[in-house]
Amino acid sequence: MAKKQFKAESKRLMELMINSIYTHKEIFLREIISNASDAIDKLCYLALTDDNVGMDRSDFRIRVTVDKDARTITVSDNGIGMNKAEMDSNLGVIARSGSFQFKKDMPETQGEDIPDIDIIGQFGVGFYSAFMVADKVTVLSHRYGEDTGAKWESSGVDGYTVEDFEKDTPGTDVIMHIKEDTEDEHYSEYLDSWRLQDLVKKYSDYVRWPIKMDVERYEQQETGETDEDGKPKTKYVTVTSEETVNSMIPIWQRSKSDVTDEECIQFYKDHFHDQEDPLAVIRVDAEGTVSFKAMLFIPGKAPYDLYTRDYQPGLQLYSSGVMIMERCPDLLPDYFRFVRGVVDSPDLSLNISREMLQHDRQLKVIANNLEKRIKTKLSSMLTDDRDAYTKFWEQFGALIKYGIVSDYGMHKDSLQDLLVYRCSGKDGLVSLEEYVKDMPEGQSKIYYAAAESAARAESLPQAEQVKDAGYSLIYMTDEADTFVVSVLGKFQDKEFCNISSDDLGLESEEEKADTEKKTEENKDLLDFVKETLAGQVEDVRLSHKLRSYPVCITTDGDITLEAERYLKSLPGNQFQDIKAKKVLEINGSHDAFSALQKAFSEDKEKAAKLAKILLAQAKLIADLPIDDPREYTDLVCSLF
């Protein structure tokens, strides 16, 4: 029989599709099964209005058969089928979709007794994905209501044949002859039944019709013989049985009342291979201009690579039960990338390969909805289940902080309520709202201490004055905290106050006047200390903050000690020259200052040594490195 030729544009499209459109060759099985599902949908729809069909939903199925010797994979369905003319029209012209036309021809109002039919195929190219793995494709089909069948066959771009073919029952068989292996491609893997079952579970697990396959299992059987003790001998034999290998109805498509919390948790653990229970489950059933269902999970533990560049965020994306993307990152903002889950929508605008989305309005609507749902869930955990939220914060709190800092702070208003910290005098984590709510009358600032640990923050000399005033102190122990505060500026009109660098505003007018008087009286001494420590400190001054400690290090300007530490910890050398403007503050009421005064009036050399010792002590208290520990030791010993 003479071959018919694809149209020139169709031939070019086939070449592009086989070589370029699809990222992974394994997609072919998803596409062929999706077409089979569409064919069953059409006949099922017809059966609702035509009693002659003689079939109900329980009769429909898709079957996948492998013949290793013949190197063939056959996908069979008992759907509506095609006649000879439809084969020529639908399979002979690439990018013509019979399913798409069927969907267009469906009445807009189907009635209460007629279910919504989600036709998957829209572009008419999925069928040709078979040629990525097959060197010949044969289609045997019988159109429902007609007397005879038809056969379509092609080896690719060189054309196709269509002829009559005897097939007794309606439906379609797609027979793919798998290519021989090459040095670069191992096509034989698709002739492995277990491999095909994996592909069905991965891409087509939630196709609504049962997908049947022959499944091999090992069973222990008696051999008919006995051993020395008279016990029956046994052996393991391979038993093959036809089984349904897909789940059909996904858990997220079932109503909330039909799914228990335990079932949701088990689905998460099985589907995402996590041994720990999730901290929270988020169910979404949205209808409107964009309809979708989603089941999201907040994991109990961060994956080992979450904070690395290798981590691949994203939700699993389905369209009418068929997986489109295993990880779709565009559905989550980066600060919620820890969320796992699935999203299923019939309203997605897919690209021609159905592997990727067109980045359009539908996708943004879904993403915005999910972001709000996640934020709401976290807020309710913070309010109603503090233990769960504490576990969440320990694993993922850094991402919330980075979310506030990123994009020039544009997300700070939506994320600041999720921040929690440890505070002096309080058990557990405290939110900023709780801190402000518990502020005593007269407190006008949110005081915080930045250090590598809560214990270090609490021991800072500057903390004494805040505690003496009866105010609680927030301990900020993460590198990002300084930048978070810088972006926030204030919370509920209360400004943040870094006790190490900002004016605490806690001294009385009498205390201010006394400090100013002592500063004026000791101007020459302070100038001497500043000159002695030139290059190490920006300024030397008497402190408004110190109580029992002799000295402390504070800073002037935007770069704090914490910011300097963080910038120096970054890879590369681009931030190594950025330094905080350090200020040595001295307690004018401490014995150490009296000793310095006496030495300055009697022995300038000793005064210089004391100045250096006081700076070294201030650095030690602030957990800063001493430039020369040996010199410091010699200075101390020289005073004995």
Side-chain angles (χ1 to χ4, degrees):
M1 177 181 296
K3 286 186 177 180
K4 295 186 176 184
Q5 296 298 309
F6 293 110
K7 292 183 178 181
E9 61 271 21
S10 293
K11 185 179 297 186
R12 175 58 178 154
L13 183 55
M14 179 183 281
E15 292 174 341
L16 286 172
M17 186 226 26
I18 294 174
N19 298 310
S20 303
I21 289 179
Y22 292 94
T23 306
H24 304 293
K25 289 181 171 59
E26 64 185 30
I27 292 293
F28 82 94
L29 189 62
R30 180 195 74 178
E31 296 299 302
I32 301 303
I33 289 176
S34 295
N35 288 342
S37 177
D38 286 351
I40 294 176
D41 281 343
K42 295 172 187 177
L43 188 55
C44 180
Y45 178 79
L46 186 61
L48 295 172
T49 56
D50 185 351
D51 293 336
N52 294 325
V53 173
M55 301 176 72
D56 57 33
R57 294 186 66 88
S58 62
D59 296 321
F60 294 109
R61 54 97 188 110
I62 299 168
R63 177 165 172 74
V64 180
T65 308
V66 181
D67 187 333
K68 288 187 177 181
D69 295 332
R71 293 189 68 81
T72 60
I73 301 172
T74 301
V75 178
S76 305
D77 67 70
N78 56 348
I80 197 152
M82 291 179 287
N83 58 31
K84 191 174 177 181
E86 288 171 327
M87 280 187 168
D88 200 17
S89 174
N90 294 335
L91 304 184
V93 179
I94 302 175
R96 175 183 173 85
S97 172
S99 294
F100 182 67
Q101 188 61 42
F102 178 85
K103 194 170 185 178
K104 284 181 61 178
D105 293 341
M106 288 171 59
E108 292 185 5
T109 303
Q110 298 176 5
E112 294 182 0
D113 298 330
I114 301 178
D116 185 27
I117 303 295
D118 285 334
I119 298 298
I120 301 170
Q122 298 186 43
F123 296 104
V125 300
F127 167 77
Y128 300 94
S129 64
F131 288 102
M132 292 190 298
V133 300
D135 51 23
K136 184 174 72 172
V137 178
T138 303
V139 181
L140 309 177
S141 193
H142 181 160
R143 173 80 152 117
Y144 167 76
E146 300 196 3
D147 296 330
T148 187
K151 175 182 178 181
W152 182 96
E153 192 167 76
S154 174
S155 296
V157 294
D158 63 339
Y160 63 94
T161 60
V162 183
E163 59 183 308
D164 292 332
F165 183 82
E166 290 299 323
K167 189 177 186 299
D168 297 334
T169 56
T172 300
D173 301 332
V174 178
I175 307 167
M176 294 161 280
H177 185 271
I178 303 303
K179 297 176 182 179
E180 296 292 337
D181 294 338
T182 67
E183 185 176 344
D184 299 325
E185 298 288 351
H186 184 64
Y187 295 103
S188 295
E189 67 172 302
Y190 301 116
L191 295 171
D192 185 334
S193 178
W194 290 107
R195 172 70 167 130
L196 294 184
Q197 289 176 48
D198 288 341
L199 293 181
V200 170
K201 295 294 291 183
K202 181 176 181 179
Y203 293 107
S204 307
D205 197 34
Y206 305 115
V207 167
R208 74 182 75 202
W209 309 111
I211 301 172
K212 305 281 188 177
M213 289 189 69
D214 286 338
V215 177
E216 294 182 349
R217 301 190 186 282
Y218 292 105
E219 292 186 1
Q220 192 175 16
Q221 296 183 356
E222 294 185 2
T223 64
E225 301 176 356
T226 58
D227 59 18
E228 296 177 354
D229 298 327
K231 296 180 179 180
K233 290 184 178 181
T234 60
K235 64 178 180 179
Y236 284 95
V237 296
T238 301
V239 178
T240 302
S241 60
E242 184 179 270
E243 299 181 11
T244 299
V245 295
N246 64 320
S247 303
M248 290 184 284
I249 301 177
I251 189 172
W252 62 83
Q253 290 284 5
R254 294 156 57 188
S255 65
K256 294 182 181 180
S257 59
D258 292 337
V259 181
T260 65
D261 292 341
E262 290 74 18
E263 287 177 309
C264 292
I265 291 172
Q266 193 58 49
F267 167 78
Y268 166 78
K269 296 171 77 171
D270 293 341
H271 198 73
F272 295 101
H273 310 293
D274 193 343
Q275 295 180 345
E276 295 197 22
D277 290 356
L279 294 174
V281 181
I282 304 171
R283 295 288 306 272
V284 183
D285 187 352
E287 295 183 354
T289 55
V290 180
S291 298
F292 70 95
K293 296 179 185 293
M295 181 176 283
L296 309 182
F297 303 91
I298 298 176
K301 187 176 182 179
Y304 71 94
D305 60 345
L306 178 65
Y307 295 100
T308 70
R309 293 181 179 179
D310 295 332
Y311 181 73
Q312 295 181 337
L315 302 175
Q316 289 188 347
L317 184 63
Y318 290 78
S319 180
S320 302
V322 176
M323 192 174 79
I324 304 302
M325 296 180 69
E326 190 163 12
R327 291 183 183 272
C328 181
D330 298 312
L331 290 173
L332 293 172
D334 197 48
Y335 44 84
F336 287 159
R337 61 178 175 170
F338 55 84
V339 175
R340 308 293 298 276
V342 296
V343 176
D344 194 340
S345 173
D347 297 332
L348 299 174
S349 297
L350 307 177
N351 73 351
I352 196 170
S353 71
R354 291 196 301 215
E355 287 184 287
M356 297 188 303
L357 294 168
Q358 309 282 0
H359 293 275
D360 58 6
R361 184 180 58 83
Q362 289 94 336
L363 189 62
K364 293 178 181 178
V365 168
I366 295 175
N368 289 337
N369 187 306
L370 295 180
E371 182 179 358
K372 293 176 182 177
R373 300 296 183 107
I374 296 168
K375 167 67 190 313
T376 299
K377 185 63 177 181
L378 291 175
S379 297
S380 67
M381 289 171 60
L382 177 60
T383 303
D384 304 327
D385 192 349
R386 186 56 61 91
D387 288 342
Y389 192 83
T390 298
K391 293 178 182 177
F392 155 77
W393 189 258
E394 290 172 350
Q395 297 294 319
F396 308 110
L399 287 178
I400 304 301
K401 294 177 182 179
Y402 293 144
I404 291 176
V405 174
S406 65
D407 298 328
Y408 303 100
M410 66 180 297
H411 311 294
K412 66 177 183 179
D413 291 338
S414 64
L415 296 178
Q416 62 183 358
D417 292 335
L418 300 178
L419 292 169
V420 290
Y421 294 97
R422 299 207 175 272
C423 298
S424 61
K426 298 182 182 297
D427 295 328
L429 296 174
V430 176
S431 70
L432 294 179
E433 182 177 6
E434 291 168 338
Y435 179 93
V436 171
K437 182 179 179 181
D438 291 342
M439 286 171 53
E441 185 176 355
Q443 183 178 348
S444 60
K445 299 181 180 182
I446 300 173
Y447 294 101
Y448 71 93
E452 63 179 12
S453 67
R456 293 288 301 179
E458 188 172 15
S459 66
L460 289 175
Q462 300 91 322
E464 285 186 316
Q465 191 176 23
V466 177
K467 294 177 183 178
D468 289 347
Y471 301 155
S472 181
L473 188 63
I474 293 178
Y475 302 137
M476 295 192 172
T477 57
D478 289 343
E479 294 173 338
D481 285 329
T482 299
F483 301 97
V484 169
V485 170
S486 177
V487 170
L488 293 180
K490 59 178 63 177
F491 181 82
Q492 294 185 0
D493 294 327
K494 304 291 184 181
E495 292 185 352
F496 288 92
C497 180
N498 185 342
I499 65 170
S500 295
S501 58
D502 298 333
D503 182 5
L504 302 181
L506 298 177
E507 61 275 5
S508 65
E509 292 300 322
E510 292 78 11
E511 289 173 327
K512 286 183 181 180
D514 181 60
T515 302
E516 290 172 0
K517 179 181 178 182
K518 285 184 178 180
T519 298
E520 183 62 30
E521 292 173 347
N522 293 277
K523 183 178 183 305
D524 292 340
L525 170 57
L526 296 176
D527 288 342
F528 170 79
V529 175
K530 180 177 179 180
E531 183 179 348
T532 301
L533 304 177
Q536 300 183 68
V537 296
E538 188 76 15
D539 198 5
V540 177
R541 62 178 70 128
L542 295 184
S543 180
H544 292 288
K545 303 176 180 179
L546 295 174
R547 290 291 187 264
S548 63
Y549 286 83
V551 287
C552 69
I553 289 285
T554 60
T555 59
D556 281 342
D558 296 331
I559 305 299
T560 63
L561 296 177
E562 298 75 33
E564 179 184 315
R565 286 194 190 98
Y566 173 70
L567 292 173
K568 286 186 176 181
S569 70
L570 296 176
N573 298 316
Q574 63 269 37
F575 299 113
Q576 298 306 307
D577 294 333
I578 297 180
K579 299 181 183 298
K581 295 180 180 179
K582 299 177 181 65
V583 175
L584 176 64
E585 292 198 9
I586 305 175
N587 186 346
S589 301
H590 198 279
D591 291 343
F593 183 66
S594 298
L596 182 63
Q597 287 176 310
K598 182 178 179 181
F600 179 68
S601 63
E602 298 176 357
D603 185 348
K604 294 293 192 297
E605 182 179 352
K606 182 178 180 180
K609 290 180 180 180
L610 289 175
K612 293 177 182 179
I613 289 174
L614 289 174
L615 175 60
Q617 290 177 335
K619 286 185 174 182
L620 289 173
I621 294 171
D623 199 26
L624 293 174
I626 299 176
D627 296 337
D628 190 341
R630 182 174 178 178
E631 179 190 21
Y632 171 69
T633 303
D634 291 341
L635 285 171
V636 173
C637 292
S638 69
L639 298 179
F640 292 117

